[in-house]
Amino acid sequence: MKTIIKIPLFLEPQNEGVWTITSPLVPELVTEIDEIDDLNSCVHDALAAVIELYQNIGKPFPTNLRADGAEAPVWFESLVMVEG
């Protein structure tokens, strides 16, 4: 079964043209991307690694970040690249 996680992300541009991605609620989540188009898959992989780390050390993942089974719509923001 898949779990939907709603997680705040902080994207910081770097001088080399890459973006560093962190989360204020999950400090172990740190990754980088070259293109915004890679954001979802890169964060997915980083989050999966953090969840595995938490399981290995016996640390519970914050339950307030789970959005699956929500009784109400889930608000989220997204980055979309457009030509122009």
Side-chain angles (χ1 to χ4, degrees):
M1 174 166 68
K2 293 186 178 187
T3 300
I4 299 171
I5 305 230
K6 180 182 175 189
I7 186 166
L9 299 173
F10 181 71
L11 281 69
E12 184 177 1
Q14 303 298 319
N15 292 335
E16 303 83 25
V18 300
W19 297 79
T20 299
I21 303 156
T22 58
S23 175
L25 298 183
V26 183
E28 296 85 356
L29 192 153
V30 179
T31 190
E32 287 187 345
I33 56 171
D34 294 322
E35 301 288 334
I36 293 296
D37 291 342
D38 298 332
L39 179 64
N40 191 51
S41 64
C42 192
V43 169
H44 176 274
D45 292 346
L47 189 57
V50 169
I51 291 170
E52 182 177 346
L53 169 68
Y54 279 23
Q55 290 171 342
N56 289 342
I57 64 173
K59 182 177 180 177
F61 191 80
T63 56
N64 62 321
L65 299 180
R66 292 182 63 134
D68 54 325
E71 299 294 324
V74 176
W75 174 279
F76 76 99
E77 296 182 20
S78 182
L79 297 174
V80 179
M81 299 295 292
V82 296
E83 301 276 336

